[in-house]
């Protein structure tokens, strides 16, 4: 596969590296740094220190993690990172790792703290704690504890059972806290983090959506040159914003390809052809590929296999579109060498990329791509979270109905059917999904929830009574969730009257459905989509 990394723009933002030691909150730390208007990237703890420093970071944050610093095989870090002159902030496990590496004492003294904990600040005028209360609530999650700070460090906070809950060495610009400032339960956590970034590391908060657009436009122009690109447009937020950025960069050198694969929701195709083209004026090529996709998916029930098939067929259709565009341009036309995708950072993480994390599920545009892809990828949103993508869309002037649209997976309804995908099942699910969306909109709840997947349990049937007769129909699952970035989510507490109306309409209006159920699982342990 050709490299998917775009050429470097003329200006790269100051970067803060978040070193991931297996923490459940590593992505959240990166988000909180970005909320402070400072650019951040996550790197695995296995990355050699010289490679980290080669990125020229303005600061480094060491995340928490599930291990004990003394356990065999526990993640470690070269002491050289603390001697490189780069400001470092250790959190929880990262704090203990810093303490041990620099000569402090960390041990299992029975001082376990989990959840909300009262923190006493002994040096309220310190770099991290200035302007915060001397007594504050923080979120702890540790077994081992630091009982003695390394030489040169000032102890700045403690708890009832932990004598060293925070320390600072302003001379070397090294800082650490035993707790998790990145979570909202730490009442002044964001302020502490910003104090490290602005005061400790001296970073200016100047990373904005304007910077993102400018940097990506420059990078895309350098990458594409005079060649041409096509964009897989689904009509969703991600692909729409990606297409808008690329069009801003290369104009008429971009053609958007909308694959009508038959896995869309009701009204999807019409919306893409009408709303997005009207808003951007982009060149759009529509490919009718429903029969191709349904044939490829016939007899397949395994979700990973479905995702890979859908990813493969997308690429094959794009390659076909590429050939047609080249033929239309004639011998003098420039090569269509690039494929634009709306890949986001959560897609990379869940597909097992970037931080050494486990593969939760292959996203059709990441783990689902075939090995023999002939395009070079352009992924301008690859390092962004969903809310950041929406802000970029607003910066580009896209209409609200596109920017604020609820997320919809690239594989479409194909992964919202638990079981084999058939046209009959798709039509059934399309109607149920349309009813749910219509009622949520009517109730004014579109902005209250992140998204509401509607799932068909195609291989499950249950007994029901309709029209005084026995039925044996399928259940429909409603999955309304609230989230900021899809990394974590909670189920949305929708009003009972809205749920009742959705259930009544689906069971009355959608043939072969006699039961509607509500999914009340958070993420984790569940994912947002069922497949």
């Amino acid at each position: 596969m050709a490299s998917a990394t775009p050429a470097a723009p003329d200006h790269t933002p100051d970067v803060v590296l978040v070193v991931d030691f297996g923490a459940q909150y590593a992505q959240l730390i990166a988000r909180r740094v970005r909320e402070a208007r400072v650019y951040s990237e996550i790197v695995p703890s296995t990355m050699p220190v010289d490679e980290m420093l080669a990125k020229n970071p303005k600061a480094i944050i060491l995340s928490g993690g599930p291990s004990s610093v003394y356990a065999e095989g526990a993640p470690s870090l070269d002491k050289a990172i603390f001697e490189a002159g780069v400001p470092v902030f250790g959190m929880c496990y990262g704090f203990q790792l810093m303490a041990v590496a620099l000569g402090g004492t960390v041990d299992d003294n029975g001082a376990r703290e989990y959840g909300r904990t009262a923190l006493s600040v002994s040096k309220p005028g310190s770099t991290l704690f200035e302007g915060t209360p001397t007594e504050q609530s923080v979120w702890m999650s540790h077994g081992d504890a630091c009982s003695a700070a390394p030489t040169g460090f000032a102890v700045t906070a403690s708890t009832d059972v932990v004598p060293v809950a925070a320390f600072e060495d302003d001379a070397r610009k090294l800082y650490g806290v035993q707790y998790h400032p990145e979570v909202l339960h730490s009442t002044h956590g964001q302020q502490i983090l910003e104090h490290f970034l602005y005061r400790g590391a001296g970073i200016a908060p100047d990373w904005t959506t304007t910077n993102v657009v400018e940097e990506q436009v420059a990078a895309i122009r350098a990458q594409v040159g005079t060649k041409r690109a096509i964009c897989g447009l689904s009509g969703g937020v991600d692909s729409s914003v990606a297409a808008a950025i690329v069009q801003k960069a290369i104009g008429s050198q971009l053609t958007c390809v909308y694959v009508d694969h038959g896995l869309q929701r009701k009204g999807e195709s019409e919306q893409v052809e009408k709303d997005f083209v009207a808003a951007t004026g982009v060149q759009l090529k529509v490919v009718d590929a429903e029969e191709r996709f349904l044939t490829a998916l016939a007899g397949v029930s395994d979700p990973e296999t479905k995702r890979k098939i859908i990813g493969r067929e997308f690429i094959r259709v794009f390659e076909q579109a590429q050939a047609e565009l080249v033929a239309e341009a004639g011998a003098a036309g420039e090569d269509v060498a690039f494929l634009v995708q709306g890949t986001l950072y959560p897609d990379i993480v869940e597909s097992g990329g970037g931080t050494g994390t486990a593969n939760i599920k292959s996203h059709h545009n990441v783990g689902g791509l075939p090995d023999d892809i002939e395009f070079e990828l352009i992924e301008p949103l690859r390092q962004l979270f969903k809310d950041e993508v929406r802000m970029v869309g607003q910066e580009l002037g896209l209409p609200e109905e596109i920017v604020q649209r609820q997320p919809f997976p690239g594989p479409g309804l194909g992964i919202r059917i638990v079981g084999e995908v058939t046209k009959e099942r798709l039509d059934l699910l399309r109607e149920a999904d349309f009813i749910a969306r219509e009622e949520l909109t009517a109730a004014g709840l579109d902005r209250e929830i992140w998204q509401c997947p509607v799932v068909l349990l195609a291989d499950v049937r249950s007994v029901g009574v309709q029209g005084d007769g026995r039925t044996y129909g399928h259940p429909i699952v409603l999955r309304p969730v609230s989230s900021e970035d899809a990394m974590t989510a909670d189920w949305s507490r929708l009003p009972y009257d809205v749920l009742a109306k959705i259930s009544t309409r689906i069971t009355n209006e959608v043939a072969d459905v006699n039961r509607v159920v509500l999914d009340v699982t958070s993420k984790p342990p569940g994912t947002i989509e069922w497949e």
Side-chain angles (χ1 to χ4, degrees), residues 113-189:
E113 292 175 313
Y114 299 99
R116 294 184 190 276
T117 304
L119 182 79
S120 296
V121 178
S122 55
K123 294 188 181 300
S126 70
T127 297
L128 296 185
F129 291 105
E130 181 169 347
T132 67
T134 54
E135 299 292 328
Q136 51 190 274
S137 179
V138 299
W139 192 258
M140 291 284 194
S141 181
H142 68 93
D144 296 340
C146 181
S147 56
T151 301
F153 281 80
V155 177
T156 54
S158 60
T159 71
D160 287 344
V161 296
V162 175
V164 184
F167 55 43
E168 304 182 14
D169 183 342
D170 282 315
R172 290 183 288 177
K173 297 188 179 300
L174 303 178
Y175 306 87
V177 296
Q178 176 60 72
Y179 60 93
H180 289 275
E182 72 275 20
V183 303
L184 295 177
H185 302 299
S186 293
T187 52
H188 297 276

Side-chain angles (χ1 to χ4, degrees), residues 41-216:
E41 291 181 4
I42 301 172
V43 297
S45 61
T46 53
M47 176 182 283
V49 168
D50 59 348
E51 290 186 22
M52 293 183 194
L53 297 177
K55 291 178 173 287
N56 193 30
K58 297 301 180 183
I60 294 172
I61 297 176
L62 310 180
S63 83
S67 303
S68 165
V69 290
Y70 293 119
E72 184 177 352
S76 60
L77 197 62
D78 191 333
K79 184 180 176 181
I81 200 168
F82 305 114
E83 300 168 345
V86 178
V88 181
F89 186 15
M91 301 178 178
C92 197
Y93 183 84
F95 165 75
Q96 295 181 1
L97 203 61
M98 181 187 294
V100 170
L102 296 175
T105 303
V106 173
D107 45 37
D108 182 0
N109 61 1
R112 290 169 172 77
E113 292 175 313
Y114 299 99
R116 294 184 190 276
T117 304
L119 182 79
S120 296
V121 178
S122 55
K123 294 188 181 300
S126 70
T127 297
L128 296 185
F129 291 105
E130 181 169 347
T132 67
T134 54
E135 299 292 328
Q136 51 190 274
S137 179
V138 299
W139 192 258
M140 291 284 194
S141 181
H142 68 93
D144 296 340
C146 181
S147 56
T151 301
F153 281 80
V155 177
T156 54
S158 60
T159 71
D160 287 344
V161 296
V162 175
V164 184
F167 55 43
E168 304 182 14
D169 183 342
D170 282 315
R172 290 183 288 177
K173 297 188 179 300
L174 303 178
Y175 306 87
V177 296
Q178 176 60 72
Y179 60 93
H180 289 275
E182 72 275 20
V183 303
L184 295 177
H185 302 299
S186 293
T187 52
H188 297 276
Q190 185 67 15
Q191 191 174 356
I192 301 301
L193 176 59
E194 290 178 2
H195 281 173
F196 166 70
L197 296 171
Y198 306 157
R199 293 157 57 86
I203 302 174
D206 57 7
W207 186 69
T208 66
T209 52
T210 300
N211 299 146
V212 172
V213 172
E214 292 175 349
E215 289 155 8
Q216 285 300 321

